[in-house]
Amino acid sequence: MTQHLAELARPADATATAGARRTGDWWRDAVIYQVYPRSFADANGDGMGDLPGIRSRLPYLRDLGVDAVWLSPFYASPQADAGYDVSDYRRVDPMFGELADATGLIEDAHRLGLRIIVDLVPNHCSDQHEWFQQALREGPGSPLRKRFHFLPGKGENGELPPNDWESIFGGPAWTRVADGEWYLHLFAPEQPDFNWEHPAVQDEFRSILRFWLDLGVDGFRIDVAHGMVKAAGLPDIGGSDQLKLLGNDVMPFFDQDGVHEIYRDWRRVLDEYTGERIFVAEAWTPTVQRTANYVRPDELHQAFNFQYLGTSWDAEALREVVDLTLDSMRPVGAPATWVLSNHDVTRHATRFANPAGLGTQIRTPGDRELGLRRARAATLLMLGLPGSAYLYQGEELGLPDVTDLPDEVRQDPSFHRQSGQDGFRDGCRVPIPWSGTEAPYGFGPVAGGPSWLPQPASWAELSVEAQTGVPGSTLELYRSALAVRREQAALGAGDSVDWMDAQPGVLAFRRTAADGSSVVVTANTTGEPVRMAAPGRLLIGSGEVVVVDDETVLPADTTAWWAV
Ligand code: GLC
């Protein structure tokens, strides 16, 4: 018998069960799709994505086969950091629509069997937030200043910042205001940090949680979840080796034990609501073990596994991080939460196109074909692991990062603050192509219309329309993989894998369901085809997997799933 990937038809009714399969603990094996509202779909043609645009594309997400959608912030914001600078947590920014669009979106999603997770930004707000503006007006000594970190400076005339911390976006983490005091901002000066010891801050966020829970959201992604509590006395770091963007360093403003009290408190709020709602932490911690602290039974549900995201396409390194993750999550009873791309890092199709070790913000396109082949294989490997997985919009189209954006269109604040030394996040934020042959490729309603970042001409071939129904396209690979993942009880939930013997550079593991059915996942991370005994019936491959009798050749950089 000979089987080719192209012959493996997608199950006829692959989407009929979308959102319906999982009831209890749906999040433990959920596939959650990140929508970056600026760049998903622009309904009003102003070049900026919006909530009505997202609403109109929900059926696409249902058909893709994801369980839930996480929306990056769409709240009122001056957009100093693309919406992660919130000036009003209960309002929708006019650029994205209005509150009725948000509630309509939640309702539509629920009707389609999709859950909605919204972004919560509690570490800092916008400098235009009413509290900060009031604190500025009322001056030193005002109780309103206590809601932030306002301090007098050091030096004879207070001309030096209160400590030596640097902003993650470059420059000092302190800005001096006209009356001489300084305020702390771990990110841009337009993003003052809240003082989380202040009861008013705690109360306000409980209330914000309830506001969105009452509107029906299914959960929150917590921005900078590791940053809210600072070490007592705000001690100097010393030395010149300061922060890397989203690094894993031990710092007195990250991963302090006090954050866990906040999450235990929030969990009590969440648990008052019906419907299995969840929290997912964006927590950059020094180790996976530290990440596990965020998902103890009385805290959050999931925490992104950034150690996995940062691992290169290398069998040994991948096996190590998979083991470490599962071993760290098992004792706290939380699922692993895998992720390969998001709005802050170079897309994995471009990371894997470049030599390993360049970090997560890369400026060179590398070998595109190699990158895409590895990216497809990496995704299939990720979706074969036990736990939940996050997809970032456009990865299902195999989009690369746009590495040649002209400087003048870039909006990432870290790009401008570090004179181009870092801050290449715009490259993964370019609006996604839906259809047609002319930019913005269906992102906006009119051919030739605007998009806030320019799309490369080559993206016509990568559009949803261009890939739909094309056997072997990346979009059809994702659709099929998600459909198979739903059908195979052995994929998804669980907390362990059984490693099998394999050649160097090849990963092979078995997953077994409660009903006894098994799936074997094989991933060839080498640049050469590997001949091996076929572990079972081929379910899907990220490339052309050929099976002849009991033998298979797994092409270079290819993953396959097998029913056993
Ligand atoms: C998180 C967000 C990132 C943002 C930063 C400050 O890391 O993902 O986009 O710039 O927090 O809010």
Side-chain angles (χ1 to χ4, degrees), residues 11 21 46 52 58 82 183 190-191 238 256 317 334 345 359 372 375 390 393 420 434 461-462 498 517 529:
R21 177 166 72 96
D46 65 356
L58 288 174
Y183 69 89
E190 296 88 351
Q191 294 168 293
Q256 299 294 306
V345 297
L372 181 58
Y390 278 75
Q393 67 177 38
W434 291 93
E461 285 165 27
L462 297 177
D498 299 324
S517 64

Side-chain angles (χ1 to χ4, degrees), residues 34 36 70 72-73 81-85 119 121 123-124 168-169 187-188 191 221-224 226 245-246 282 284 342-344 412-413 425 429:
Q34 179 188 358
Y36 193 65
W70 149 36
S72 277
D81 184 20
Y84 282 94
D85 49 319
D119 222 304
V121 189
N123 178 68
H124 46 264
I168 288 155
F169 291 159
F187 293 87
Q191 294 168 293
R221 175 262 188 191
I222 305 167
D223 187 66
V224 195
H226 54 310
L245 179 72
L246 308 178
E282 184 215 23
W284 294 81
N342 65 32
H343 67 294
D344 288 327
D412 182 349
R425 297 181 300 170
R429 298 175 177 180

Side-chain angles (χ1 to χ4, degrees), residues 523-537:
N524 176 8
T525 69
T526 74
E528 302 296 329
V530 170
R531 184 175 293 276
M532 59 198 285
R537 179 172 58 86

Side-chain angles (χ1 to χ4, degrees), residues 76-90:
S77 161
Q79 304 288 317
D81 184 20
Y84 282 94
D85 49 319
V86 181
S87 54
D88 187 337
Y89 290 84
R90 297 177 184 80

